[in-house]
Amino acid sequence: MKKWICLLLALPLLAQAAEIKIGFQKSAGLLSMMKTQGAALPGHTIKWIEFPAGPQMLEALNAGSIDFGSTGAPPPIFAQAGGVDLLYVGAEPAPVNSEAIIVPKESTLRTVAQLKGKRVAFQKGSGSHFLLASALQKAGLKISDITPIFLSPSDARAAFVSGGIDAWVVWDPYLASAQKAYQARVLADYTGLPLANGFYLASRKFAEQSPQLVSALLEQVKATGKWASEHQKEVSTLLTQQTGVPADIVATWMGRSRFGATPVTPDIVASQQRVADLFYQQKLIPKAVNIASRVWTWQPK
């Protein structure tokens, strides 16, 4: 398999060598690929720490257990509202159909509006939280109109299979797996809804003390994204080996994934502010947050 990590060899040695703690999710994102391929920064040690989802990762960032990580749009908003001193340092393309609200194949539910009063499982503070809130808003409902069941993907899958919930909001590869294993039916994805970018995040302390390292990490993420987009077959093989997810599920997952890293542009800031404002309007966060005040400027090479 092509070793894109050789790109790192061209980076200059950075001063003040230290351990860099990076959070990643095993089943998602470019950071996971970088970890699997043994990415390194010359003169520095990378400690990789795995998390089940974005909210737990940002709890660790707040505690100083990690310096850098990536999540969907909602986790940093919940973290901001909770007082976490984070910075948005980069963005990735918004998902369209790699995350969805699904129901069992035999369910009588056919529209999002019919979720009123129903038990809907999702990871609190995740991208699924925003997808659900947006879809409900379009249908004239709020989160308070359903019965939210806050579960991790693995626990939600068990509840979905047992009939303990009426609907489940989740991302790939869990989504692709449920579609194949249980013929789960999609009620809604991001089609026709406001999109929400993923983000690369750093603690303020790390970004301000080590701006060169943040830039170097983002350059490598960008290079990895370019490689992944051009080598989907190799990426699928890598992820099948890494996650244990069957190859056909990984192929579906990869077919609707979007890779990359860009600066956090004004348009992306505005999009993220819309996410934050929706959460505040629906009383999902205790106070309004300002996204623009937390953006770190990255100038790609």
Side-chain angles (χ1 to χ4, degrees):
M1 184 178 293
K2 182 177 179 180
K3 294 291 184 181
W4 46 260
I5 59 173
C6 65
L7 293 171
L8 280 171
L9 298 179
L11 290 171
L13 288 176
L14 300 171
Q16 300 178 344
E19 181 181 76
I20 306 162
K21 297 165 290 191
I22 300 178
F24 74 102
Q25 297 177 60
K26 183 177 181 180
S27 61
L30 295 174
L31 295 182
S32 180
M33 292 186 203
M34 290 170 61
K35 189 264 181 185
T36 299
Q37 289 285 7
L41 286 171
H44 294 76
T45 300
I46 296 179
K47 180 178 181 180
W48 298 93
I49 304 174
E50 183 180 343
F51 295 89
Q56 295 91 328
M57 188 183 300
L58 294 187
E59 288 176 10
L61 187 141
N62 186 45
S65 301
I66 64 170
D67 303 305
F68 184 93
S70 66
T71 75
I77 290 170
F78 279 85
Q80 271 188 264
V84 178
D85 197 13
L86 59 80
L87 293 176
Y88 295 83
V89 298
E92 60 185 9
V96 178
N97 53 11
S98 59
E99 194 162 14
I101 304 170
I102 57 176
V103 295
K105 64 177 181 178
E106 67 277 6
S107 173
T108 60
L109 299 175
R110 298 290 171 179
T111 67
V112 172
Q114 292 175 316
L115 291 175
K116 186 173 182 177
K118 301 300 183 183
R119 300 160 298 173
V120 183
F122 57 96
Q123 170 74 58
K124 183 178 181 179
S126 69
S128 296
H129 204 152
F130 176 61
L131 171 57
L132 178 60
S134 295
L136 289 172
Q137 183 184 51
K138 185 177 180 180
L141 301 174
K142 298 180 179 180
I143 294 284
S144 58
D145 291 316
I146 66 164
T147 301
I149 308 294
F150 302 133
L151 295 174
S152 67
S154 58
D155 290 337
R157 181 183 179 121
F160 188 80
V161 173
S162 69
I165 55 176
D166 299 299
W168 179 21
V169 196
V170 74
W171 57 88
D172 278 329
Y174 308 103
L175 170 60
S177 180
Q179 287 178 298
K180 181 185 179 186
Y182 314 116
Q183 293 75 57
R185 184 161 39 82
V186 172
L187 277 190
D189 55 22
Y190 277 105
T191 302
L193 295 173
L195 299 181
N197 296 81
F199 290 96
Y200 296 94
L201 304 147
S203 67
R204 183 183 298 275
K205 179 180 178 181
F206 178 59
E208 291 183 348
Q209 291 185 352
S210 307
Q212 285 183 299
L213 281 175
V214 175
S215 293
L217 282 168
L218 290 169
E219 290 293 340
Q220 182 54 40
V221 173
K222 183 177 73 171
T224 304
K226 184 175 186 297
W227 177 84
S229 296
E230 296 171 352
H231 300 82
Q232 286 212 0
K233 185 175 180 180
E234 291 180 67
V235 172
S236 293
T237 299
L238 170 67
L239 290 174
T240 297
Q241 296 170 347
Q242 172 187 324
T243 65
V245 174
D248 56 341
I249 300 297
V250 172
T252 299
W253 171 19
M254 288 298 98
R256 51 198 187 194
S257 293
R258 303 172 70 193
F259 300 109
T262 69
V264 183
T265 65
D267 284 347
I268 292 174
V269 170
S271 175
Q272 181 71 345
Q273 190 64 56
R274 285 193 293 271
V275 178
D277 292 345
L278 175 62
F279 282 168
Y280 182 60
Q281 291 162 9
Q282 296 202 12
K283 298 182 173 23
L284 301 176
I285 55 176
K287 63 181 181 180
V289 299
N290 182 284
I291 305 303
S293 66
R294 298 298 189 92
V295 175
W296 182 86
T297 301
W298 168 38
Q299 297 180 335
K301 295 178 180 178

